[in-house]
Amino acid sequence: MKRLATVIIALLLLVSNMGLAQTKGGSRNYIVGFYNLENLFDTYNDPAKNDEEFLPEGKNKWTPAKYEKKIHNMARVIAAMAKDNGRYHTILAISEIENRMVVEDLVADPQIADANFQIIHYDGPDRRGVDVALLYNPKQFELLESVSIPYTFEGSQIEFTLTKEEQDYFRTRDILMVRGLIDGEMFAFFVTHTPSRVGGKGCDLRSRCGEIIYNYAQELEAKYPGIKIAAMGDMNDNPFDDSMAVWLHGREKMEEMTEKDWFNPFWSMLKAGYGSLCYQYEWNIYDQVLVNYNLTFAPEGGLKIQPIIKNTYYGRIFKKPFMIQQKGQFKGQPWRTFSNGAFIGGYSDHFPSYILISK
């Protein structure tokens, strides 16, 4: 009996030491991702926001009960990702949020409140009234600075279809940049929600987002040699489109990269049939996370992007049956909040995406 007790104690000590080594030895995994929350509006009228459709008396009859259901659903997805990964995200970028208050309600939901997510958000000029934001785990990420980068046309090398007058009137989401430390290494994260494809327009406008991020990242790399950078968001483009492949210098394969290029793990995944949203029954991956050269090819012992699916793919599109439309015209697609103008109580028209970084 004493021998059995000794073995049990030894095993408990071994497990305990393994956990300690994982925390202090630098072998911890960090999850970095993005989720388009599909119109997370509150129920109050804000004269500065285009929120009339999302009021109790508005087109969508956006009542407190529907809002609470929406918050619960978004938190359920974040909790499900944490359960799958064995940890909460270190960095979770989000889009289509009306204001800071809705994000505060989200992170306070009982399903994810124990994550203690901290919020970085700036009110932006978007005419739809939506912004981007970033949630971070303060136990894993030390915040150094954040900047809301305005979308402007000044200094661009792109030939735009908009006239000067149209450019002056144009308003879209700012690009969020957050810089800080993970495990003592410096990181920067860009969060964007590029201009819409509605009407078949805007490819040059989305390219401008890629150009802004790339130029700003180049400045960071010059100022902080070795800095590791990720750009994420709803790109409203696929990885092979100009905004990602030309202006953000995204590459499908690591071996194609120079030190000026970015690795886009979702390019090969799109080719393999993965998708984060479905439009007219065609799957796309607009929800992407790209990483710079330093995060792709880190020196020995440094944090870098790791394979996450079948030791082949470096990105993941997260979906569970409860997030998927199970019947009807859109069976198999993301179960969204509204369909044909009617509230159907779903989650989002996008699946979240993320990457894994580790040593």
Side-chain angles (χ1 to χ4, degrees):
M1 185 64 107
K2 288 184 179 179
R3 183 179 181 184
L4 178 60
T6 302
V7 171
I8 291 173
I9 292 171
L11 287 172
L12 289 173
L13 287 172
L14 176 61
V15 170
S16 175
N17 288 336
M18 285 175 63
L20 187 64
Q22 186 176 28
T23 301
K24 292 190 175 181
S27 60
R28 176 183 289 177
N29 297 325
Y30 301 93
I31 309 297
V32 174
F34 170 78
Y35 193 16
N36 181 323
L37 303 185
E38 190 199 8
N39 294 320
L40 182 54
F41 281 80
D42 62 30
T43 61
Y44 307 105
N45 186 17
D46 182 349
K49 295 278 189 174
N50 183 15
D51 62 357
E52 286 74 18
E53 291 186 357
F54 288 90
L55 299 174
E57 67 277 9
K59 176 183 175 182
N60 293 321
K61 305 298 181 186
W62 194 239
T63 62
K66 291 178 179 177
Y67 173 71
E68 290 171 9
K69 173 68 172 173
K70 177 74 172 179
I71 289 288
H72 174 85
N73 284 356
M74 299 295 91
R76 183 183 180 188
V77 174
I78 296 171
M81 289 192 285
K83 182 178 180 181
D84 247 37
N85 295 319
R87 72 205 71 226
Y88 284 108
H89 279 58
T90 301
I91 300 291
L92 178 59
I94 55 178
S95 71
E96 291 201 16
I97 53 115
E98 182 182 7
N99 51 40
R100 184 184 179 90
M101 189 194 81
V102 301
V103 186
E104 291 175 346
D105 287 346
L106 173 62
V107 301
D109 186 280
Q111 298 172 99
I112 60 172
D114 61 329
N116 191 30
F117 280 124
Q118 302 300 295
I119 302 166
I120 302 175
H121 165 262
Y122 294 86
D123 284 315
D126 179 66
R127 296 200 183 279
R128 267 193 61 210
V130 293
D131 301 322
V132 299
L134 183 140
L135 311 179
Y136 70 91
N137 184 335
K139 292 182 179 179
Q140 299 178 357
F141 178 75
E142 179 184 344
L143 176 66
L144 296 177
E145 71 165 332
S146 64
V147 179
S148 189
I149 306 169
Y151 182 106
T152 68
F153 295 91
E154 298 170 6
S156 177
Q157 301 300 308
I158 299 168
E159 293 186 12
F160 296 102
T161 57
L162 297 183
T163 65
K164 183 62 169 64
E165 184 178 4
E166 290 171 329
Q167 291 178 24
D168 291 341
Y169 178 79
F170 183 77
R171 296 289 184 274
T172 191
R173 280 75 60 175
D174 285 351
I175 298 166
L176 177 61
M177 191 286 293
V178 178
R179 185 173 63 85
L181 302 176
I182 298 177
D183 204 6
E185 299 185 26
M186 187 174 294
F187 280 77
F189 300 99
F190 290 88
V191 187
T192 186
H193 183 183
T194 70
S196 171
R197 282 179 165 244
V198 172
K201 299 179 180 179
C203 60
D204 53 340
L205 302 177
R206 293 187 292 279
S207 290
R208 177 57 178 153
C209 279
E211 184 184 37
I212 291 172
I213 293 172
Y214 185 79
N215 290 344
Y216 203 109
Q218 290 279 288
E219 294 176 8
L220 287 175
E221 290 177 346
K223 188 174 182 180
Y224 306 104
I227 187 172
K228 296 173 180 181
I229 307 176
M232 66 198 88
D234 178 353
M235 306 303 186
N236 271 310
D237 269 336
N238 280 308
F240 52 76
D241 287 314
D242 280 0
S243 61
M244 298 293 99
V246 176
W247 297 100
L248 194 46
H249 294 239
R251 299 292 178 261
E252 178 186 354
K253 300 176 181 177
M254 292 181 176
E255 55 266 31
E256 298 173 343
M257 296 176 63
T258 70
E259 292 186 1
K260 300 294 185 180
D261 294 325
W262 294 56
F263 173 50
N264 191 335
F266 295 93
W267 194 327
S268 60
M269 294 182 69
L270 181 63
K271 282 186 172 182
Y274 290 88
S276 65
L277 77 158
C278 194
Y279 179 67
Q280 294 183 345
Y281 303 97
E282 181 178 347
W283 283 98
N284 303 275
I285 302 183
Y286 291 173
D287 308 87
Q288 301 165 43
V289 185
L290 295 85
V291 297
N292 73 338
Y293 187 90
N294 295 331
L295 188 47
T296 307
F297 300 103
E300 185 69 27
L303 291 168
K304 63 181 179 180
I305 190 170
Q306 302 286 350
I308 199 170
I309 297 179
K310 302 175 182 177
N311 264 343
T312 300
Y313 299 111
Y314 285 76
R316 183 179 181 188
I317 305 295
F318 184 82
K319 58 181 180 179
K320 294 291 183 180
F322 72 84
M323 302 163 60
I324 301 170
Q325 189 76 40
Q326 297 297 327
K327 59 183 179 180
Q329 179 183 1
F330 302 111
K331 181 179 179 180
Q333 298 184 21
W335 183 14
R336 56 193 304 165
T337 307
F338 289 91
S339 179
N340 296 321
F343 179 76
I344 59 174
Y347 293 78
S348 173
D349 54 347
H350 293 245
F351 293 133
S353 59
Y354 58 82
I355 63 169
L356 168 70
I357 60 176
S358 183
K359 291 185 178 179

